[in-house]
Amino acid sequence: MLYSLYEAGYYAATPMRLAALAAREFWSSPLNPAAETEMARRLYAGSDLFANLTRRYGKPDWKLDSVEINGKAVRVRAQTEWSTAWCKLTHFSRDMADLRRAGKTALEPAVLIVAPLSGHYATLLRGTVEAFLQDHEVFITEWTNARDVPMLEGRFDFHDYIDHIREALRHLGPRPHVVAVCQPGPPVLAAASLMAEDGEECRPASMTFMGSPIDARLSPTVTNKLAEDRPFAWFESNMIKNVPPPYLGFGRRVYPGFVQLASFMSMNLEKHQEAHRNYLSHLMDGDGDSADKHLEFYDEYLSVLDLTEEFYLQTIDVVFQRYLLPKGELMHDGRRVRPERITDIGLMTVEGENDDISGIGQTQAAHRLCLSLPIEMKEDYIQPHVGHYGVFNGRRFRDEIYPRVRGFIRRMEDGVHARKPARKSNVTRLRTAP
């Protein structure tokens, strides 16, 4: 019922939104002699704000037609390498002639960036992709909005997610590198563990976890505490809704993106309110640059997708309530997932000092689980002065985090065919779970 009410509210606001759009065009038209008056700017700003607050935010475009490498513009083309009803593997193919002009002559490592399936589209990682394109062949998982998948396609759960990661890695060829941003940490580690145990040729050469809840018992945040304090049945009863028509997934039970967005925004409500007040002020003052930055951020932030009921509830259960992976109790297709079987996959963890989604120690826990890895194949980094999103985007990511990840991948790439037995140890500074 809630999903239907949400849709009804959107359509009910359509006449007012169209009126606001008409008013915005009228008061900003160069043909309007009053367009430069204070009253006109106020009316334009108010109409624009209302239109943006009530419009539909679809999947954003990547807007990555080119990237600058060594001072040269290199054309980029996004193309689908493999897909299912639930995921599309996108390759950001760089123009070879442009690469040669930029001084890139050697074949560069393939990197699979596993985007989170937690409410936002993969385009939230645009800055992450742009950074990795400097030195790698970049692939990314683009997850499908569950409301757009017909019921005939069946279920998609936590274990299907693991299988999709394994299949994506196989499409990259022998020994690719994988980067998991936030939510994918546990299933990516599970996939790597299974591939390592099976001795698969396409198992990763390295895995990098960024702000991931590998062990959510450590340094619990508000998000963790919510999952712990509520019984499992509460999430099933209050967070799951039926997709209404006319969507292709009509009848599918999902965790709606707008519900998750409301939860995100409520955590920093005053900050979002202040941002919109500033936006209104910028429009009235004619500060187009600041207003454009606001729109650029919220066009991405307000674009959300639905998760299937089974994937969402299993994630709550497996990752945030029973902690099956760090406790050594996660089963997949009748097999126990054993990170200790990983012996030749490099491991890097990255955390943010001020992360309020995945607290410090949750990602580091991967080192404790990968007991058989030599210390030379492990690296841990905590970035000062950044929150959750700063771990994979923004200036500090580009200038401080990415160079470290790039260096780690290079070391693992160089040693993938000539690795010698080394002393085994765990990374220090790890917190111990209760």
Side-chain angles (χ1 to χ4, degrees):
M1 179 61 72
L2 179 63
Y3 210 136
S4 297
L5 289 174
Y6 172 78
E7 291 293 310
Y10 168 76
Y11 289 112
T14 298
M16 292 181 287
R17 182 169 53 257
L18 293 176
L21 288 171
R24 184 180 70 179
E25 295 302 314
F26 177 79
W27 290 111
S28 63
S29 173
L31 300 177
N32 186 342
E36 295 302 319
T37 65
E38 182 179 352
M39 180 191 72
R41 288 197 298 270
R42 288 180 177 274
L43 290 170
Y44 164 78
S47 300
D48 183 85
L49 181 62
F50 181 83
N52 281 314
L53 287 175
T54 58
R55 74 178 176 89
R56 183 83 77 189
Y57 287 82
K59 181 181 181 296
D61 294 328
W62 278 104
K63 299 177 182 177
L64 276 176
D65 298 324
S66 67
V67 62
E68 186 174 306
I69 300 177
N70 295 333
K72 304 289 185 180
V74 175
R75 287 167 291 179
V76 176
R77 182 164 60 95
Q79 55 190 35
T80 301
E81 294 289 330
W82 162 77
S83 66
T84 70
W86 299 102
C87 181
K88 179 174 68 173
L89 180 63
T90 299
H91 176 206
F92 292 92
S93 178
R94 300 170 298 174
D95 185 84
M96 294 304 297
D98 290 348
L99 280 174
R100 285 193 292 269
R101 281 193 289 270
K104 297 280 188 176
T105 56
L107 188 66
E108 295 186 303
V111 172
L112 172 63
I113 299 176
V114 183
L117 180 54
S118 56
H120 285 99
Y121 289 95
T123 49
L124 189 68
L125 305 184
R126 186 182 292 105
T128 317
V129 171
E130 191 170 13
F132 275 89
L133 279 171
Q134 305 291 317
D135 310 281
H136 308 91
E137 284 297 320
V138 179
F139 300 76
I140 194 168
T141 57
E142 293 196 67
W143 304 102
T144 307
N145 192 335
R147 74 183 183 190
D148 296 328
V149 182
M151 292 282 287
L152 290 174
E153 295 292 345
R155 292 164 48 90
F156 180 83
D157 61 18
F158 185 85
H159 299 283
D160 293 318
Y161 192 107
I162 294 174
D163 289 335
H164 273 66
I165 293 167
R166 296 178 70 180
E167 192 61 33
L169 287 167
R170 290 167 185 149
H171 274 77
L172 269 63
R175 307 313 303 272
H177 303 265
V178 62
V179 176
V181 180
C182 189
Q183 169 269 321
V188 167
L189 181 55
S193 301
L194 294 167
M195 296 178 82
E197 187 170 6
D198 292 343
E200 289 197 37
E201 183 184 23
C202 296
R203 66 190 183 279
S206 77
M207 49 188 177
T208 301
F209 299 106
M210 311 180 78
S212 296
I214 302 296
D215 190 343
R217 295 173 294 180
L218 309 177
S219 302
T221 62
V222 173
T223 304
N224 303 138
K225 291 176 181 177
L226 173 64
E228 290 176 350
D229 294 343
R230 304 281 188 180
F232 182 80
W234 182 89
F235 291 95
E236 189 173 14
S237 301
N238 293 277
M239 294 299 186
I240 305 301
K241 311 298 174 186
N242 288 91
V243 176
Y247 296 110
L248 291 174
F250 167 57
R252 184 178 294 281
R253 287 176 61 78
V254 299
Y255 174 47
F258 68 84
V259 173
Q260 176 133 331
L261 180 62
S263 300
F264 281 149
M265 298 193 74
S266 66
M267 293 173 62
N268 296 284
L269 185 58
E270 292 184 1
K271 180 180 178 181
H272 292 295
Q273 291 173 336
E274 182 65 22
H276 282 83
R277 283 194 292 268
N278 290 337
Y279 173 66
L280 189 65
S281 177
H282 293 319
L283 286 177
M284 290 188 291
D285 294 341
D287 184 356
D289 290 340
S290 297
D292 287 344
K293 290 179 181 179
H294 172 94
L295 285 179
E296 183 179 354
F297 173 79
Y298 278 100
D299 281 353
E300 194 74 57
Y301 189 77
L302 298 178
S303 300
V304 291
L305 53 76
D306 300 345
L307 283 59
T308 65
E309 172 188 32
E310 54 273 13
F311 174 79
Y312 171 71
L313 293 179
Q314 283 185 356
T315 300
I316 292 292
D317 177 51
V318 170
V319 178
F320 295 105
Q321 290 196 342
R322 291 200 289 158
Y323 320 105
L324 297 185
L325 180 62
K327 290 167 68 176
E329 299 173 1
L330 179 62
M331 303 292 293
H332 180 76
D333 287 344
R335 300 170 55 188
R336 190 176 302 279
V337 175
R338 304 176 187 274
E340 66 272 17
R341 296 297 177 89
I342 297 174
T343 60
D344 62 353
I345 301 176
L347 170 62
M348 182 176 187
T349 55
V350 182
E351 297 179 315
E353 180 185 29
N354 303 322
D355 194 333
D356 59 353
I357 302 295
S358 297
I360 290 179
Q362 293 188 15
T363 311
Q364 285 181 345
H367 293 282
R368 174 170 52 83
L369 299 179
C370 298
L371 298 174
S372 302
L373 268 179
I375 191 171
E376 290 81 1
M377 296 183 67
K378 293 183 176 183
E379 186 168 331
D380 173 54
Y381 179 67
I382 298 175
Q383 174 63 47
H385 313 304
V386 301
H388 187 68
Y389 292 101
V391 170
F392 57 86
N393 221 331
R395 179 179 59 82
R396 286 195 170 95
F397 167 75
R398 292 191 302 270
D399 296 344
E400 301 180 48
I401 295 175
Y402 172 69
R404 287 177 167 85
V405 177
R406 177 185 59 200
F408 176 74
I409 289 176
R410 284 178 177 172
R411 290 196 301 276
M412 296 303 104
E413 182 75 7
D414 291 342
V416 72
H417 298 301
R419 196 165 282 136
K420 297 178 180 180
R423 175 171 57 94
K424 297 176 183 178
S425 176
N426 288 329
V427 170
T428 57
R429 298 188 294 110
L430 297 183
R431 289 170 169 77
T432 302

